[in-house]
Amino acid sequence: MGRAEDQIRAGVGPANPAEGTLAPPRTVAPQGTVAPQRTVAPPRTVAPQRTVVPHGTAPPEHWRYARHLDSLAAVSDEAAEAERVAAVLRDPDTVMAESAVVTHLDRRAAQLLADERFPGWARAMGEVLAGRAFPVRRLREWTLLKSINQGEPWSAAELTGASDWCQRTAVRAVTSYEALSLLADAARTRRVRNAAAQRLLRRTAV
């Protein structure tokens, strides 16, 4: 009889737990059997949401802004253009409506700057813009730029007192030596003064 049996009879376990203990048999999967794989559900597809405008609600202002510009660009004559401008200015969003009209004025005035139709167009626009400070000022400044370019009367006070937009546009658009010299000396911003000076240098270098 071994020491392990003597210890069991004495009421104590083996000194070494591994001694005299039989491990349970390993369970061996039958050869050729593959454990089932875990099924992974595919990711859920979320359909893109449509932006739905409730019935009777005006579209967002940027949609109306784009539509206003399209309608203004599509007019065929001065009378129709004036009517369309007046219609746009009746939009309840005053800021957006005036911004659309000013953008249209910029596009049209740039096209007509050297055109003999400019005075008639400006008069027609002035009638429908009455009381609208921002569009009225923009039209007045385009008229100033046209006068400078066409050699018509204009004053230094008008140009030096014009908006930053007008002075920036003048540096690009006008060819008058007098106007460029004035801007190089007295424009409101350094950027405009430098740009005017550069244009003058290019003129003298030619």
Side-chain angles (χ1 to χ4, degrees), residues 129-150:
L129 296 178
R132 305 278 187 159
F134 178 35
V136 165
R137 178 170 187 172
R138 184 58 59 87
L139 181 62
R140 184 172 65 248
E141 291 181 335
W142 272 115
T143 303
L144 171 63
L145 296 175
K146 187 259 183 190
S147 298
I148 295 172
N149 257 3
Q150 297 299 309

Side-chain angles (χ1 to χ4, degrees), residues 50-83:
R50 288 182 57 199
T51 302
V52 180
V53 179
H55 180 69
T57 301
E61 62 276 4
H62 63 278
W63 294 358
R64 298 206 309 280
Y65 175 85
R67 285 208 302 269
H68 288 329
L69 287 180
D70 289 343
S71 67
L72 289 165
V75 293
S76 56
D77 56 58
E78 288 178 7
E81 184 179 7
E83 291 175 2

Side-chain angles (χ1 to χ4, degrees), residues 145 148 159 164-176 179-180 182-184 187 189-200 202:
L145 296 175
I148 295 172
L159 186 54
D164 291 350
W165 171 87
C166 182
Q167 293 184 355
R168 288 195 306 269
T169 305
V171 168
R172 298 192 304 268
V174 305
T175 57
S176 165
L180 290 173
L182 179 63
L183 291 171
T189 67
R190 180 182 299 178
R191 176 183 176 187
V192 172
R193 292 194 299 271
N194 289 343
Q198 288 298 318
R199 283 205 63 192
L200 288 171
R202 287 196 294 270

Side-chain angles (χ1 to χ4, degrees), residues 92-161:
D93 189 333
T94 303
V95 173
M96 180 274 295
E98 291 188 358
S99 179
V101 167
V102 167
T103 299
H104 174 71
L105 291 178
D106 289 346
R107 293 173 178 177
R108 286 286 287 148
Q111 295 171 352
L112 298 173
L113 201 58
D115 196 303
E116 62 182 11
R117 295 175 296 168
F118 185 98
W121 171 80
R123 282 193 298 271
M125 290 297 101
E127 292 176 2
V128 297
L129 296 178
R132 305 278 187 159
F134 178 35
V136 165
R137 178 170 187 172
R138 184 58 59 87
L139 181 62
R140 184 172 65 248
E141 291 181 335
W142 272 115
T143 303
L144 171 63
L145 296 175
K146 187 259 183 190
S147 298
I148 295 172
N149 257 3
Q150 297 299 309
E152 299 169 358
W154 59 277
S155 72
E158 286 181 286
L159 186 54
T160 55

